[in-house]
Amino acid sequence: MKKQLKWIVYGLGFGIIPFTFFYIIPYLLGQIPPMAAELTVVFQALIPLTFAYSISRYKLIDIEIILKKTVPLIFSYVFIALLYFIVSSQTKIFPENKLQALILGILAIILGATLFTPVKKLSQALIDRVIYKRSYKYRKTLLTISQEISRERNLQKLSQSLLDLITNALSLKYIALLLPEDEKAGSFTILKSLGKTTSNRTRISIEEKLYHHLKKIEFISEYSLSNRKDLQKSFHSLSSYGFFHMMPLTVENKLIGCLAMGKKRDNTLLSSEDWELLRTISSPMALALENAYLYEQANIRAKELERLKDYSENIIESLTVGVAVLDQNGEITGWNRVLEETFQRRKEEVLGKKLIHIMGKSNYSALFPPDTQQGFRLMSEISIKIPSGKEKIFDIAKTPLLDNTMNPYGTIIVFEDTTEKISLQQQLITSEKLASVGLLSAGVAHEINTPLTGISSHVQLLQKKMLDSPHSQILKKIEAQTERVARIVKSLLNFARNPSESMLYQVDLKETLEGILSLIDYKLRNLNIRLELSLDSINPIWAHGERLQQVFINIILNAIDAMPDGGTLIIELSKKEDQAVIKIQDTGTGIKIQHLPNIFDPFFTTKGIGKGTGLGLSISYAIIKEHEGRISVESKVNKGSTFKIYIPMDLDRNEKPKQMRILQKVK
């Protein structure tokens, strides 16, 4: 602190010198000092302030550093002041016009602010050259290299920049940066090179003894190996590459790289001062190269990981099955596109949340039953309720998510929607049953009809002869049962009939339904069944009109039978896309869930004995299939059933050509 105060006092002394020489001495000699001499009083403040600022800003004590910092500032102030006086003398200093004085002052401020920094840098460079003399170039190189090392992270750019700086500082003909290859000791890859050489190789190899010697010392040159005859031959072989100097770059005894240098442009070898500069920069240069290499490798791995992540996500998103990934806490970490569509929850909404909160307790219990086993597990036909209110059937596959050490850290759940597949399987089974029964019916019905006709005829003859006989009641029962068998045979024949035998014609579904309802209106009133109609006017379709009537009557009568104590019968007709949709809904007893898969099977009935043949829905199913349509049913016990019949509106496109062929055969 005392030294710093002392230099501030010296600054006061230096500050009064210009005023003494230019104003006090001429005044004592009887001369009138010029106006410019009066301005030297400014230096009494500027010079001490400059000293004080330099000391406080840079904490200076060394006289060399004080001169380096203060002289450029003083020189800059003096230069700006002299320039101001020169400009002022040309424009009549201190003009009486105040506006001109104001403009002049503003111009002087702008000029001083613009020129101060460049003048200061120029004077600083001149002072450095005077103080450091020959080492100035090296010091400047060190400063530039340190700035480059701290700024650049790209390995290629850093290498290029360092080689440029060293080549210019040492005036080298050729220089190269070598990186060791991990798989083989003594083998190097030339990362960057500058200058001309006699070899265009990208890799070089040095003998093992020279390689180990290089790792232990600061540099190798012809002079340093003068006492090592065993290594001189190996080193001389490198001269074919243009290398006469080599300096290892190490970090904590690990060889990061090597600087291989040729001769200077004047064909001389590097001097001791040159090696001093290289030794000074070798450690930070090696550290910077290692950091740049690690940074580059980290970037490559980060990009590779990002690419692999995107690749994996693309695969998962492209799957046609739903995939959910859970961590060990049951929180969702993966949720693909299929699950977004199925459960109507976006990926961003579910990530980080518990699966039980997203799917609900009932669905979660179906996925994770109490007896859940560890490891892979496949569960078939799991019923899950989706947000729309419907239930879908899924095949579920659960498997643990394993890390590289095969330790589980999560769970992968795969959802395969098999609802449509199971529905098609059931339809296929039903179709196969119907086909088998149809073949059987075609043969059996005719065989039964012949003896049945004989039985019926003989019963009628006996009834005429035994009108007053006590056995007449028995004959009536035989006749009733015979008629029942006849109805069953007729149903079998209708069931087995080839649809191509009847012709297609345009059918107005609205009129057909209204005609059927007019026939059963009396029955509906008697049973206290309320009818709700919603029949849209749609275009007529090509169909077998009588057979469609049979379908509607079968289903409507079944609905009436399901409401013995009254209820509501809802019948709707609408068009959906290219299909006519007929909906028949009742509020009756409903169908048990275990019976639903079998309702279209021949001879299956839930009615009492003698009340149904079990062929009504089977025949209806076959008729709708003839029309390339489909029937769906939903039912809940004690709440009722809903049958939906879908019939194509454009059936004539396929059937009319077939019909024309039939007409031609008839002709």
Side-chain angles (χ1 to χ4, degrees):
M1 179 63 73
K2 290 181 179 180
K3 288 185 177 181
Q4 293 176 347
L5 292 174
K6 182 175 70 174
W7 280 106
I8 293 175
V9 173
Y10 289 162
L12 290 171
F14 287 125
I16 203 171
I17 290 174
F19 184 73
T20 302
F21 277 98
F22 292 103
Y23 190 89
I24 296 177
I25 294 176
Y27 183 79
L28 294 175
L29 294 176
Q31 298 179 4
I32 298 175
M35 188 66 68
E38 294 179 359
L39 293 177
T40 57
V41 72
V42 176
F43 290 106
Q44 293 186 51
L46 290 178
I47 294 177
L49 285 174
T50 302
F51 273 69
Y53 171 75
S54 299
I55 291 171
S56 64
R57 174 69 175 81
Y58 299 102
K59 297 181 173 57
L60 305 176
I61 295 176
D62 194 343
I63 182 62
E64 180 181 304
I65 299 177
I66 290 176
L67 290 175
K68 274 188 64 181
K69 300 299 180 182
T70 57
V71 171
L73 288 172
I74 294 172
F75 179 79
S76 301
Y77 286 131
V78 171
F79 178 80
I80 297 299
L82 291 175
L83 185 62
Y84 175 79
F85 289 130
I86 293 172
V87 173
S88 298
S89 63
Q90 297 297 322
T91 58
K92 295 182 180 180
I93 191 166
F94 302 117
E96 295 180 357
N97 190 323
K98 293 183 179 181
L99 180 59
Q100 292 182 5
L102 179 61
I103 294 173
L104 181 62
I106 294 173
L107 290 175
I109 292 172
I110 295 173
L111 185 64
T114 305
L115 295 178
F116 182 79
T117 301
V119 171
K120 179 186 173 184
K121 289 184 178 180
L122 178 62
S123 58
Q124 183 73 61
L126 293 173
I127 293 299
D128 287 345
R129 286 183 179 274
V130 171
I131 292 176
Y132 299 121
K133 297 179 182 177
R134 293 183 62 186
S135 63
Y136 170 74
K137 181 174 67 173
Y138 293 155
R139 288 177 177 270
K140 187 175 180 181
T141 301
L142 286 173
L143 179 62
T144 307
I145 289 176
S146 64
Q147 293 174 346
E148 189 67 27
I149 286 174
S150 62
R151 183 175 66 248
E152 189 58 66
R153 287 292 177 269
N154 183 278
L155 182 60
Q156 296 290 333
K157 292 182 179 179
L158 177 63
S159 304
Q160 183 70 39
S161 180
L162 290 174
L163 294 185
D164 284 335
L165 292 171
I166 295 173
T167 300
N168 294 332
L170 303 181
S171 301
L172 294 173
K173 284 184 178 180
Y174 180 70
I175 185 172
L177 177 60
L178 312 180
L179 295 183
E181 296 180 350
D182 295 334
E183 62 270 11
K184 185 178 180 182
S187 181
F188 291 87
T189 300
I190 300 178
L191 179 64
K192 281 288 181 182
S193 63
L194 288 178
K196 295 182 179 180
T197 181
T198 56
S199 175
N200 293 323
R201 295 187 181 182
T202 57
R203 287 182 174 82
I204 63 169
S205 298
I206 61 177
E207 292 187 4
E208 188 173 352
K209 288 182 69 176
L210 182 62
Y211 174 75
H212 290 297
H213 182 69
L214 178 66
K215 293 173 65 176
K216 297 177 183 177
I217 62 171
E218 293 182 336
F219 65 90
I220 294 178
S221 67
E222 289 185 353
Y223 299 128
S224 66
L225 296 177
S226 57
N227 297 327
R228 295 292 303 269
K229 302 293 186 183
D230 55 329
L231 299 178
Q232 286 183 2
K233 184 177 180 181
S234 300
F235 185 74
H236 285 315
S237 64
L238 297 176
S239 61
S240 61
Y241 303 112
F243 302 147
F244 295 92
H245 314 84
M246 297 191 74
M247 183 180 73
L249 302 172
T250 59
V251 175
E252 296 181 352
N253 298 323
K254 178 185 177 183
L255 186 65
I256 301 301
C258 183
L259 272 181
M261 296 162 283
K263 293 182 179 181
K264 291 187 173 185
R265 293 191 181 99
D266 58 2
N267 236 18
T268 60
L269 299 176
L270 296 179
S271 64
S272 59
E273 289 183 350
D274 298 333
W275 282 116
E276 186 65 30
L277 171 65
L278 292 172
R279 275 195 295 267
T280 305
I281 67 173
S282 63
S283 294
M285 184 176 174
L287 186 60
L289 288 172
E290 183 183 40
N291 290 340
Y293 176 77
L294 294 176
Y295 182 78
E296 186 176 83
Q297 292 300 309
N299 278 340
I300 292 173
R301 290 182 181 179
K303 290 179 180 178
E304 182 66 17
L305 287 174
E306 188 68 24
R307 189 187 67 81
L308 290 174
K309 180 184 175 184
D310 292 341
Y311 181 72
S312 301
E313 288 183 352
N314 290 338
I315 290 176
I316 293 175
E317 290 296 326
S318 301
L319 293 175
T320 56
V321 295
V323 178
V325 183
L326 310 181
D327 62 12
Q328 290 179 318
N329 298 321
E331 294 180 353
I332 299 171
T333 58
W335 189 263
N336 76 339
R337 172 185 53 81
V338 175
L339 291 184
E340 286 184 344
E341 297 172 356
T342 302
F343 294 100
Q344 299 175 10
R345 299 291 295 271
R346 293 191 58 78
K347 183 177 181 180
E348 294 77 11
E349 298 176 19
V350 303
L351 290 182
K353 295 182 180 179
K354 299 277 188 179
L355 183 64
I356 189 172
H357 297 152
I358 300 299
M359 301 189 66
K361 289 184 179 180
S362 59
N363 289 338
Y364 188 82
S365 300
L367 293 176
F368 296 93
D371 61 339
T372 297
Q373 62 187 22
Q374 298 295 325
F376 176 79
R377 184 173 183 183
L378 179 63
M379 299 184 294
S380 299
E381 298 185 11
I382 303 298
S383 180
I384 294 178
K385 192 172 184 179
I386 60 176
S388 63
K390 295 182 179 180
E391 287 191 353
K392 287 194 171 185
I393 301 172
F394 293 87
D395 283 348
I396 307 295
K398 294 188 301 180
T399 183
L401 182 62
L402 306 176
D403 59 17
N404 293 334
T405 58
M406 302 306 290
N407 292 320
Y409 66 98
T411 305
I412 301 175
I413 307 176
V414 179
F415 298 76
E416 183 180 0
D417 187 353
T418 59
T419 307
E420 187 175 352
K421 176 183 175 182
I422 291 175
S423 175
L424 291 173
Q425 286 176 344
Q426 290 176 346
Q427 291 181 25
L428 180 61
I429 292 170
T430 302
S431 298
E432 289 175 349
K433 289 179 180 179
L434 292 174
S436 300
V437 173
L439 292 174
L440 177 64
S441 302
V444 172
H446 292 287
E447 297 295 331
I448 293 176
N449 254 342
T450 302
L452 189 62
T453 303
I455 294 171
S456 178
S457 300
H458 287 91
V459 167
Q460 290 175 8
L461 289 173
L462 287 173
Q463 281 180 325
K464 289 179 180 179
K465 292 181 178 181
M466 302 173 65
L467 290 174
D468 299 327
S469 173
H471 299 292
S472 61
Q473 295 298 324
I474 297 174
L475 292 174
K476 287 182 179 179
K477 290 181 180 179
I478 294 173
E479 184 182 19
Q481 294 301 318
T482 305
E483 289 176 354
R484 183 170 180 267
V485 173
R487 287 197 302 271
I488 294 174
V489 171
K490 184 179 179 181
S491 297
L492 288 173
L493 288 173
N494 288 333
F495 182 80
R497 186 176 60 184
N498 188 348
S500 64
E501 294 174 359
S502 58
M503 305 302 298
L504 291 179
Y505 58 91
Q506 286 194 323
V507 177
D508 189 321
L509 293 176
K510 183 178 180 181
E511 289 183 359
T512 301
L513 289 169
E514 289 174 344
I516 294 171
L517 293 172
S518 65
L519 297 175
I520 63 171
D521 183 61
Y522 178 77
K523 187 173 185 179
L524 294 176
R525 287 199 301 270
N526 285 343
L527 293 174
N528 195 25
I529 296 174
R530 186 165 58 91
L531 179 64
E532 293 184 5
L533 284 179
S534 177
L535 305 179
D536 295 344
S537 296
I538 63 174
N539 295 331
I541 65 170
W542 287 86
H544 305 289
E546 293 83 3
R547 292 176 71 77
L548 285 183
Q549 281 183 351
Q550 186 177 357
V551 172
F552 301 149
I553 290 172
N554 281 338
I555 296 175
I556 291 173
L557 291 178
N558 284 344
I560 293 173
D561 291 341
M563 296 183 288
D565 299 326
T568 302
L569 177 63
I570 302 171
I571 300 177
E572 297 177 359
L573 172 64
S574 61
K575 180 182 178 182
K576 184 177 181 182
E577 297 178 353
D578 58 347
Q579 290 182 320
V581 182
I582 300 93
K583 176 181 174 183
I584 302 173
Q585 181 178 354
D586 64 69
T587 58
T589 55
I591 305 170
K592 293 181 180 180
I593 190 169
Q594 62 267 30
H595 293 160
L596 280 175
N598 304 316
I599 61 174
F600 295 114
D601 291 351
F603 305 109
F604 179 84
T605 180
T606 58
K607 299 178 181 179
I609 298 174
K611 293 184 179 180
T613 63
L615 289 172
L617 287 179
S618 301
I619 293 171
S620 299
Y621 184 90
I623 292 171
I624 297 302
K625 279 295 180 182
E626 291 173 11
H627 290 78
E628 299 182 11
R630 60 188 177 90
I631 302 180
S632 67
V633 59
E634 296 176 1
S635 183
K636 291 185 178 179
V637 177
N638 298 324
K639 289 188 177 180
S641 304
T642 302
F643 283 80
K644 289 184 179 180
I645 304 169
Y646 301 85
I647 304 174
M649 299 286 293
D650 57 351
L651 187 63
D652 60 313
R653 295 182 183 176
N654 298 323
E655 294 296 332
K656 283 179 71 177
K658 190 187 296 183
Q659 177 181 326
M660 294 302 296
R661 289 195 296 271
I662 294 170
L663 289 174
Q664 288 173 0
K665 288 181 180 179
V666 172
K667 291 178 181 179

